Amino acid sequence: KMGFKEKLHAGLGKKKKLSKEEVFESVFWFKLILALIYGIVAGLMQWTGFLVILIFVAGIFLASFLYYSKVLEVEDESYTQELWMEAFPNSIALFLLSWILVYTFTQQKQSILSPNNQQAGQLINLILL
């Protein structure tokens, strides 16, 4: 069993040869981290629409292909198709969750801090008093 440090080095391609299980684990976590980052960025940038989802799907497939072919140096074609789908449902769910939460939070924060929002001002005065 590999520890966290060994897994990190293996995921960054610093280990010579990875087992099939280690490759799948590295791709799994890579896709989740990428989905979280992209979801947070999309929410902060206030991006909306179906195009954002399409760009995410294309980006996650392209980035994972580059990750396992260039960084992990996987040359075995027998399980390449499995790597395409590894963690895809999880990553799209995490992307959508983080995108929606960050977008909603930033929208709420903007509307509360808006000078035209009397209800928010009354609520803030009530809380502070």
Side-chain angles (χ1 to χ4, degrees):
K1 208 85 167 144
M2 291 182 5
F4 177 75
K5 192 172 187 178
E6 290 84 17
K7 286 182 183 181
L8 182 63
H9 284 290
L12 296 175
K14 296 189 179 194
K15 188 178 176 185
K16 290 287 183 196
K17 184 72 176 161
L18 296 174
S19 69
K20 183 177 178 179
E21 182 181 313
E22 292 169 337
V23 168
F24 276 86
E25 188 174 345
S26 295
V27 170
F28 178 87
W29 287 110
F30 175 76
K31 284 185 178 182
L32 289 182
I33 291 168
L34 196 62
L36 182 64
I37 291 169
Y38 188 72
I40 290 171
V41 168
L44 289 174
M45 299 298 292
Q46 301 291 304
W47 293 339
T48 58
F50 189 68
L51 184 61
V52 178
I53 298 171
L54 289 178
I55 291 171
F56 167 74
V57 170
I60 199 85
F61 279 126
L62 178 64
S64 63
F65 171 74
L66 292 174
Y67 178 68
Y68 73 75
S69 66
K70 302 295 182 195
V71 176
L72 299 180
E73 298 175 353
V74 173
E75 296 173 0
D76 190 357
E77 296 289 325
S78 64
Y79 56 90
T80 303
Q81 189 165 0
E82 292 176 64
L83 284 172
W84 282 102
M85 293 309 294
E86 177 67 22
F88 179 69
N90 300 12
S91 64
I92 198 150
L94 183 60
F95 159 71
L96 289 172
L97 178 67
S98 59
W99 178 30
I100 291 167
L101 287 177
V102 171
Y103 182 86
T104 303
F105 177 73
T106 55
Q107 286 290 335
Q108 290 294 329
K109 187 176 178 183
Q110 287 174 0
S111 68
I112 287 174
L113 297 178
S114 171
N116 297 334
N117 192 344
Q118 284 185 328
Q119 292 173 339
Q122 292 171 353
L123 180 63
I124 291 171
N125 286 334
L126 183 66
I127 291 171
L128 295 176
L129 296 177

